[in-house]
Structures are given as C-alpha cells and as structure tokens.
Amino acid sequence: MTFAPEPTFSHGQPAKAASATAVLYCNLGTPDAPTAAALRPYLAQFLSDHRVIEIPKAVWWLILHGIILRVRPKKSAAKYASIWTAEGSPLKVWTAAQAVALGGTLAARGHHVAVSYAMRYGNPSIASQLDALKADGVTRILVLPAYPQYSGTSTASVFDAVYSWAAKVRRLPELRFVNNYHDHPGYIAALAARVRAHWAAQGRADKLVMSFHGVPERTLHLGDPYHCECHKTGRLLAEQLGLTKEQYVVTFQSRFGKAKWLEPYTEPTLVALAQAGTHSVDVMCPGFTGDCLETLEEISMEAREAFLHAGGKSFSYIACLNNSPEWLEALGDIAEQHLSGWPTQAAPDAQALAASRTAAITMGATQ
C-alpha cells in the first residue's frame, strides 16, 4: 500500500497550529444543491454504505443503479428545494454554526482547540477535513458525531470513514471517539428548555410526540442499542418536563424499503391520534441536533398534513436544538469531558490562527 505523503517537516520547525488538539464535529451530510444532478452522487454514496444498507453488494448494486438512482434523485431534489435557504442546506448551515460556537465555548473556558465540521456523505468530507487538520499540525483529534443516540447506521459509519482515512496515513494523530450522549444531563436539559420555550410562546398541546429517525427492526435484534437509547432519551425528557406516560409518545420516522422498521411509525401514529380524538400535538425530533430535510419537510410539512387531514385541529412543530444557548453549552460540556487529559495550551499565535479557522468554517457554511 502507498501511504499519503506527509506534510513538509524539518526538525526544529515551529508548530503551525494554535493548538495540536482538535475536535471534528461530524454530521450525516447533504447534497451540494437541491437538484437531481447533485442528489445522484450524494445518494449513491449514502446508499452504497454497507452500514446503511445490509444487503449483499451484488444484489443491492443492481437495485441501486438500476432503479433507485434513476427515480429517487428527482423526487428528493424537490423535497430539498422546499426547505433550501439562501445560505444553503439547513443541515449544513446549522452544523457549521454549531462548530463555530463550539470553538467559541471551548475558548471561553480556556481551551485552545481547533474545531472543524465534516459530513459523512457529501462535502466537506471527513477525509478532507482530517487532511486539513493534519496539515495544520494537529496531532490529537476528538471525533464528535452530531448523533446523540448511537447507531451502527450512523455513528459507526462516521468512525468507518475515519478508519478508512487512517489506513492511508503514515503518521497518525491520536484519535478519540464519542459514541453517544443520549442521556447527557446537558443535552436532556437543552431539549427540555426547547419544549418549555415553545409552550410559553405557543401553548401546550394534548400530546407531545418525540419522533426519532428510524432504522430496520432487525438491527435491534442484532444488538444495535439505538432503539433503547432513543427510548431512554424520551423517558428522561418526559421526566424533566413532568409528563406522564399518557402525555407523550416515542415514534420513528423515515422508513425506506419494504422491511419492517422500528415501531411505532410517526405518521401512522399521528393519523391514529387524530382519528381517536386528539385535537392537538406538539412534535419534536430529539435525535436531530439541527433542523434538516427529515424535520422541516418530512415532519413539519408531510406529517402535519397527515395529522390535520385525519381530523386533528392543531399541529405544532418544535424546532431542533440548532443554536439554542443551552445546547451550545451542553455541546461544550460533552467535548470538554472527552478532551480531558489532553493538553490544550495555545501557541503564541493562537488567536490569529483560531480566527482564521473560524472564518474558513463560516465561509464553508455559506458555499
């Protein structure tokens, strides 16, 4: 195997980075534009991941390239177009903003840590961001997924991308990984603050629906902890809010294919609630730290229409954590906990380099 060339180095040269320690904040990804042309390579990368689709490769290749990539890009592009903003994809905008805020939070606490963001699918890629950090002289990297609940389909896939990059590198940085934070007190408190703020402004509905991204049910039986972690998040949040079991429900959305996925499904649950006489619902998506296609289009548009069409009177969508102060503090707590023991002292030019990296991140969010 040929390894990637190392950055130019001479003995005794001064450190390039303001800190040799970095956090790489990783999210799922997004196409570069809300067009079929942009969706095709994005979906091809996403749906070719063996962590996402556990079907024999030869069989799945024929289905993916023979059917799905001929039909789905156009349909998905229309959905993305309905939520696209002047700044770009909401998921990318929020991920970039959270990375910048995390850098600021850690700096305010006395840590000099470079913070970058990356996407598992699409741009900026995990490999490109790791290359950039290594070129800056970073020697310790904390990989922090934007997924509170661990799943082999998401968290482990991020780690796979890091391992694939590492397999081609001669001089590896120290690496740490955050598996989950589904029950972190700061994360739960941030969710509760989001709900309380919504209730104070909009009033409280008959039922709180907590919708998490779905995964095939077989992953639960094969040992994936995702289902249990989602339910624990839901229980802890309900306790914070003082809700009884009758006042909230945990559901799963975003089914794909004909296999059985984790139940109860979100949209059929909303329809059943409306038909049973539930007049109003508040719906939130605790597993998404930033609003995206699955929250803004699938829930706030499609699920809303289904509930109202079935006889419901009022549907309120509670926004994701996004840039809420409670969440940004909690994110700092999570990173700080996992950075423990690593030196985070700055080089003399720390402020200038930190400012340049923040500017680069901000520019990336608008492209």
Side-chain angles (χ1 to χ4, degrees), residues 101-134:
L102 176 58
T105 299
L106 292 174
R109 297 181 184 184
H111 301 287
H112 298 282
V113 177
V115 179
S116 296
Y117 77 94
M119 301 297 179
R120 176 59 183 91
Y121 315 104
N123 299 304
S125 69
I126 289 174
S128 68
Q129 295 297 75
L130 288 169
D131 283 339
L133 290 172
K134 191 170 174 7

mmCIF file of all heavy atoms in Angstrom, residues 101-134:
data_model
loop_
_atom_site.group_PDB
_atom_site.id
_atom_site.type_symbol
_atom_site.label_atom_id
_atom_site.label_comp_id
_atom_site.label_asym_id
_atom_site.label_seq_id
_atom_site.Cartn_x
_atom_site.Cartn_y
_atom_site.Cartn_z
ATOM 1 N N ALA A 101 -19.607 27.798 17.135
ATOM 2 C CA ALA A 101 -19.999 28.076 18.515
ATOM 3 C C ALA A 101 -19.247 27.187 19.497
ATOM 4 O O ALA A 101 -18.855 27.637 20.587
ATOM 5 C CB ALA A 101 -21.501 27.881 18.682
ATOM 6 N N LEU A 102 -19.017 25.929 19.134
ATOM 7 C CA LEU A 102 -18.265 25.029 19.997
ATOM 8 C C LEU A 102 -16.845 25.537 20.200
ATOM 9 O O LEU A 102 -16.318 25.517 21.322
ATOM 10 C CB LEU A 102 -18.246 23.619 19.398
ATOM 11 C CG LEU A 102 -17.408 22.583 20.157
ATOM 12 C CD1 LEU A 102 -17.889 22.438 21.600
ATOM 13 C CD2 LEU A 102 -17.456 21.234 19.437
ATOM 14 N N GLY A 103 -16.225 26.017 19.125
ATOM 15 C CA GLY A 103 -14.891 26.597 19.256
ATOM 16 C C GLY A 103 -14.889 27.777 20.207
ATOM 17 O O GLY A 103 -13.989 27.930 21.042
ATOM 18 N N GLY A 104 -15.920 28.626 20.096
ATOM 19 C CA GLY A 104 -16.017 29.779 20.978
ATOM 20 C C GLY A 104 -16.255 29.387 22.423
ATOM 21 O O GLY A 104 -15.678 29.972 23.351
ATOM 22 N N THR A 105 -17.103 28.373 22.640
ATOM 23 C CA THR A 105 -17.379 27.904 24.002
ATOM 24 C C THR A 105 -16.124 27.348 24.659
ATOM 25 O O THR A 105 -15.815 27.660 25.822
ATOM 26 C CB THR A 105 -18.478 26.822 23.986
ATOM 27 O OG1 THR A 105 -19.677 27.374 23.450
ATOM 28 C CG2 THR A 105 -18.749 26.282 25.378
ATOM 29 N N LEU A 106 -15.388 26.519 23.916
ATOM 30 C CA LEU A 106 -14.171 25.934 24.478
ATOM 31 C C LEU A 106 -13.117 27.007 24.746
ATOM 32 O O LEU A 106 -12.412 26.966 25.762
ATOM 33 C CB LEU A 106 -13.623 24.862 23.532
ATOM 34 C CG LEU A 106 -14.499 23.612 23.396
ATOM 35 C CD1 LEU A 106 -13.938 22.685 22.323
ATOM 36 C CD2 LEU A 106 -14.609 22.864 24.726
ATOM 37 N N ALA A 107 -13.019 27.989 23.847
ATOM 38 C CA ALA A 107 -12.062 29.078 24.042
ATOM 39 C C ALA A 107 -12.412 29.884 25.295
ATOM 40 O O ALA A 107 -11.532 30.263 26.075
ATOM 41 C CB ALA A 107 -12.033 29.988 22.818
ATOM 42 N N ALA A 108 -13.721 30.134 25.491
ATOM 43 C CA ALA A 108 -14.156 30.894 26.660
ATOM 44 C C ALA A 108 -13.846 30.156 27.954
ATOM 45 O O ALA A 108 -13.709 30.777 29.016
ATOM 46 C CB ALA A 108 -15.655 31.176 26.565
ATOM 47 N N ARG A 109 -13.718 28.843 27.873
ATOM 48 C CA ARG A 109 -13.400 28.042 29.057
ATOM 49 C C ARG A 109 -11.894 27.823 29.218
ATOM 50 O O ARG A 109 -11.464 27.036 30.062
ATOM 51 C CB ARG A 109 -14.115 26.698 28.970
ATOM 52 C CG ARG A 109 -15.640 26.806 28.972
ATOM 53 C CD ARG A 109 -16.289 25.441 28.902
ATOM 54 N NE ARG A 109 -17.752 25.534 28.798
ATOM 55 C CZ ARG A 109 -18.564 24.486 28.806
ATOM 56 N NH1 ARG A 109 -18.060 23.263 28.923
ATOM 57 N NH2 ARG A 109 -19.865 24.654 28.711
ATOM 58 N N GLY A 110 -11.119 28.472 28.372
ATOM 59 C CA GLY A 110 -9.673 28.394 28.498
ATOM 60 C C GLY A 110 -9.000 27.322 27.667
ATOM 61 O O GLY A 110 -7.803 27.089 27.799
ATOM 62 N N HIS A 111 -9.762 26.672 26.788
ATOM 63 C CA HIS A 111 -9.185 25.638 25.920
ATOM 64 C C HIS A 111 -8.870 26.234 24.556
ATOM 65 O O HIS A 111 -9.691 26.948 23.988
ATOM 66 C CB HIS A 111 -10.164 24.470 25.748
ATOM 67 C CG HIS A 111 -10.559 23.815 27.024
ATOM 68 N ND1 HIS A 111 -9.717 23.009 27.752
ATOM 69 C CD2 HIS A 111 -11.727 23.867 27.719
ATOM 70 C CE1 HIS A 111 -10.342 22.574 28.832
ATOM 71 N NE2 HIS A 111 -11.565 23.084 28.831
ATOM 72 N N HIS A 112 -7.721 25.917 24.021
ATOM 73 C CA HIS A 112 -7.340 26.373 22.680
ATOM 74 C C HIS A 112 -7.369 25.153 21.764
ATOM 75 O O HIS A 112 -6.376 24.444 21.618
ATOM 76 C CB HIS A 112 -5.971 27.051 22.705
ATOM 77 C CG HIS A 112 -5.951 28.281 23.575
ATOM 78 N ND1 HIS A 112 -6.467 29.485 23.162
ATOM 79 C CD2 HIS A 112 -5.512 28.462 24.842
ATOM 80 C CE1 HIS A 112 -6.323 30.383 24.127
ATOM 81 N NE2 HIS A 112 -5.764 29.786 25.157
ATOM 82 N N VAL A 113 -8.532 24.909 21.202
ATOM 83 C CA VAL A 113 -8.785 23.714 20.414
ATOM 84 C C VAL A 113 -9.339 24.119 19.055
ATOM 85 O O VAL A 113 -10.280 24.914 18.971
ATOM 86 C CB VAL A 113 -9.807 22.792 21.133
ATOM 87 C CG1 VAL A 113 -10.130 21.577 20.289
ATOM 88 C CG2 VAL A 113 -9.275 22.371 22.497
ATOM 89 N N ALA A 114 -8.761 23.595 18.001
ATOM 90 C CA ALA A 114 -9.304 23.840 16.661
ATOM 91 C C ALA A 114 -10.574 23.016 16.493
ATOM 92 O O ALA A 114 -10.622 21.851 16.881
ATOM 93 C CB ALA A 114 -8.270 23.443 15.604
ATOM 94 N N VAL A 115 -11.622 23.613 15.941
ATOM 95 C CA VAL A 115 -12.886 22.898 15.717
ATOM 96 C C VAL A 115 -13.253 23.010 14.242
ATOM 97 O O VAL A 115 -13.345 24.111 13.697
ATOM 98 C CB VAL A 115 -14.027 23.462 16.576
ATOM 99 C CG1 VAL A 115 -15.319 22.695 16.289
ATOM 100 C CG2 VAL A 115 -13.678 23.380 18.063
ATOM 101 N N SER A 116 -13.445 21.864 13.613
ATOM 102 C CA SER A 116 -13.902 21.813 12.226
ATOM 103 C C SER A 116 -15.148 20.942 12.165
ATOM 104 O O SER A 116 -15.428 20.178 13.083
ATOM 105 C CB SER A 116 -12.819 21.220 11.317
ATOM 106 O OG SER A 116 -11.670 22.028 11.280
ATOM 107 N N TYR A 117 -15.882 21.058 11.060
ATOM 108 C CA TYR A 117 -17.022 20.168 10.869
ATOM 109 C C TYR A 117 -16.841 19.399 9.571
ATOM 110 O O TYR A 117 -16.112 19.822 8.658
ATOM 111 C CB TYR A 117 -18.342 20.944 10.853
ATOM 112 C CG TYR A 117 -18.622 21.676 9.550
ATOM 113 C CD1 TYR A 117 -19.387 21.087 8.557
ATOM 114 C CD2 TYR A 117 -18.108 22.944 9.322
ATOM 115 C CE1 TYR A 117 -19.652 21.743 7.365
ATOM 116 C CE2 TYR A 117 -18.368 23.611 8.135
ATOM 117 C CZ TYR A 117 -19.134 23.006 7.164
ATOM 118 O OH TYR A 117 -19.377 23.659 5.983
ATOM 119 N N ALA A 118 -17.484 18.229 9.498
ATOM 120 C CA ALA A 118 -17.387 17.390 8.303
ATOM 121 C C ALA A 118 -18.688 16.637 8.118
ATOM 122 O O ALA A 118 -19.487 16.497 9.046
ATOM 123 C CB ALA A 118 -16.221 16.406 8.431
ATOM 124 N N MET A 119 -18.894 16.151 6.894
ATOM 125 C CA MET A 119 -20.078 15.373 6.556
ATOM 126 C C MET A 119 -19.674 13.950 6.172
ATOM 127 O O MET A 119 -18.712 13.752 5.438
ATOM 128 C CB MET A 119 -20.834 16.016 5.386
ATOM 129 C CG MET A 119 -21.306 17.443 5.645
ATOM 130 S SD MET A 119 -22.496 17.501 6.998
ATOM 131 C CE MET A 119 -22.820 19.268 7.084
ATOM 132 N N ARG A 120 -20.447 12.996 6.677
ATOM 133 C CA ARG A 120 -20.157 11.602 6.324
ATOM 134 C C ARG A 120 -20.379 11.385 4.833
ATOM 135 O O ARG A 120 -19.658 10.617 4.193
ATOM 136 C CB ARG A 120 -21.070 10.670 7.144
ATOM 137 C CG ARG A 120 -20.926 9.186 6.785
ATOM 138 C CD ARG A 120 -19.516 8.712 7.000
ATOM 139 N NE ARG A 120 -19.355 7.323 6.592
ATOM 140 C CZ ARG A 120 -18.989 6.918 5.370
ATOM 141 N NH1 ARG A 120 -18.797 7.823 4.405
ATOM 142 N NH2 ARG A 120 -18.829 5.649 5.110
ATOM 143 N N TYR A 121 -21.399 12.021 4.277
ATOM 144 C CA TYR A 121 -21.672 11.930 2.842
ATOM 145 C C TYR A 121 -21.755 13.351 2.309
ATOM 146 O O TYR A 121 -22.404 14.215 2.905
ATOM 147 C CB TYR A 121 -22.994 11.194 2.580
ATOM 148 C CG TYR A 121 -23.151 9.943 3.411
ATOM 149 C CD1 TYR A 121 -24.002 9.921 4.518
ATOM 150 C CD2 TYR A 121 -22.413 8.797 3.126
ATOM 151 C CE1 TYR A 121 -24.130 8.790 5.298
ATOM 152 C CE2 TYR A 121 -22.532 7.661 3.912
ATOM 153 C CZ TYR A 121 -23.385 7.656 5.000
ATOM 154 O OH TYR A 121 -23.495 6.537 5.787
ATOM 155 N N GLY A 122 -21.129 13.618 1.204
ATOM 156 C CA GLY A 122 -21.118 14.973 0.660
ATOM 157 C C GLY A 122 -19.927 15.766 1.164
ATOM 158 O O GLY A 122 -18.916 15.204 1.593
ATOM 159 N N ASN A 123 -20.052 17.081 1.143
ATOM 160 C CA ASN A 123 -18.934 17.970 1.445
ATOM 161 C C ASN A 123 -19.225 18.894 2.614
ATOM 162 O O ASN A 123 -20.382 19.291 2.814
ATOM 163 C CB ASN A 123 -18.623 18.822 0.205
ATOM 164 C CG ASN A 123 -18.224 17.971 -0.976
ATOM 165 O OD1 ASN A 123 -17.294 17.179 -0.892
ATOM 166 N ND2 ASN A 123 -18.942 18.117 -2.082
ATOM 167 N N PRO A 124 -18.185 19.271 3.373
ATOM 168 C CA PRO A 124 -16.801 18.806 3.289
ATOM 169 C C PRO A 124 -16.668 17.390 3.863
ATOM 170 O O PRO A 124 -17.267 17.079 4.894
ATOM 171 C CB PRO A 124 -16.032 19.821 4.142
ATOM 172 C CG PRO A 124 -17.020 20.288 5.148
ATOM 173 C CD PRO A 124 -18.352 20.291 4.444
ATOM 174 N N SER A 125 -15.910 16.561 3.201
ATOM 175 C CA SER A 125 -15.802 15.164 3.608
ATOM 176 C C SER A 125 -14.953 15.025 4.870
ATOM 177 O O SER A 125 -14.142 15.894 5.212
ATOM 178 C CB SER A 125 -15.176 14.342 2.484
ATOM 179 O OG SER A 125 -13.807 14.694 2.323
ATOM 180 N N ILE A 126 -15.139 13.914 5.542
ATOM 181 C CA ILE A 126 -14.348 13.628 6.737
ATOM 182 C C ILE A 126 -12.869 13.537 6.384
ATOM 183 O O ILE A 126 -12.016 14.097 7.080
ATOM 184 C CB ILE A 126 -14.846 12.334 7.402
ATOM 185 C CG1 ILE A 126 -16.226 12.585 8.045
ATOM 186 C CG2 ILE A 126 -13.860 11.816 8.444
ATOM 187 C CD1 ILE A 126 -16.893 11.350 8.610
ATOM 188 N N ALA A 127 -12.551 12.866 5.288
ATOM 189 C CA ALA A 127 -11.146 12.718 4.894
ATOM 190 C C ALA A 127 -10.499 14.066 4.603
ATOM 191 O O ALA A 127 -9.364 14.330 5.018
ATOM 192 C CB ALA A 127 -11.043 11.804 3.675
ATOM 193 N N SER A 128 -11.211 14.957 3.905
ATOM 194 C CA SER A 128 -10.622 16.253 3.556
ATOM 195 C C SER A 128 -10.380 17.099 4.801
ATOM 196 O O SER A 128 -9.376 17.812 4.904
ATOM 197 C CB SER A 128 -11.524 17.003 2.571
ATOM 198 O OG SER A 128 -12.744 17.411 3.187
ATOM 199 N N GLN A 129 -11.274 17.030 5.771
ATOM 200 C CA GLN A 129 -11.104 17.802 6.987
ATOM 201 C C GLN A 129 -9.996 17.234 7.869
ATOM 202 O O GLN A 129 -9.252 17.982 8.515
ATOM 203 C CB GLN A 129 -12.423 17.873 7.762
ATOM 204 C CG GLN A 129 -13.523 18.640 7.034
ATOM 205 C CD GLN A 129 -13.176 20.100 6.819
ATOM 206 O OE1 GLN A 129 -12.351 20.439 5.959
ATOM 207 N NE2 GLN A 129 -13.775 20.973 7.598
ATOM 208 N N LEU A 130 -9.864 15.920 7.891
ATOM 209 C CA LEU A 130 -8.753 15.314 8.622
ATOM 210 C C LEU A 130 -7.422 15.682 7.975
ATOM 211 O O LEU A 130 -6.432 15.970 8.670
ATOM 212 C CB LEU A 130 -8.928 13.795 8.675
ATOM 213 C CG LEU A 130 -10.050 13.281 9.589
ATOM 214 C CD1 LEU A 130 -10.285 11.799 9.352
ATOM 215 C CD2 LEU A 130 -9.718 13.544 11.052
ATOM 216 N N ASP A 131 -7.392 15.685 6.648
ATOM 217 C CA ASP A 131 -6.175 16.118 5.942
ATOM 218 C C ASP A 131 -5.815 17.553 6.310
ATOM 219 O O ASP A 131 -4.640 17.871 6.548
ATOM 220 C CB ASP A 131 -6.381 16.020 4.423
ATOM 221 C CG ASP A 131 -6.279 14.608 3.897
ATOM 222 O OD1 ASP A 131 -5.677 13.759 4.583
ATOM 223 O OD2 ASP A 131 -6.807 14.354 2.798
ATOM 224 N N ALA A 132 -6.829 18.429 6.356
ATOM 225 C CA ALA A 132 -6.583 19.837 6.662
ATOM 226 C C ALA A 132 -6.068 20.008 8.088
ATOM 227 O O ALA A 132 -5.133 20.797 8.340
ATOM 228 C CB ALA A 132 -7.860 20.644 6.458
ATOM 229 N N LEU A 133 -6.641 19.285 9.032
ATOM 230 C CA LEU A 133 -6.185 19.376 10.418
ATOM 231 C C LEU A 133 -4.759 18.866 10.556
ATOM 232 O O LEU A 133 -3.925 19.459 11.244
ATOM 233 C CB LEU A 133 -7.116 18.580 11.334
ATOM 234 C CG LEU A 133 -8.520 19.167 11.535
ATOM 235 C CD1 LEU A 133 -9.400 18.187 12.306
ATOM 236 C CD2 LEU A 133 -8.458 20.507 12.254
ATOM 237 N N LYS A 134 -4.463 17.764 9.880
ATOM 238 C CA LYS A 134 -3.112 17.207 9.933
ATOM 239 C C LYS A 134 -2.103 18.172 9.311
ATOM 240 O O LYS A 134 -1.005 18.368 9.835
ATOM 241 C CB LYS A 134 -3.089 15.863 9.210
ATOM 242 C CG LYS A 134 -1.801 15.062 9.413
ATOM 243 C CD LYS A 134 -1.991 13.665 8.872
ATOM 244 C CE LYS A 134 -0.774 12.801 8.868
ATOM 245 N NZ LYS A 134 0.431 13.211 9.466
#
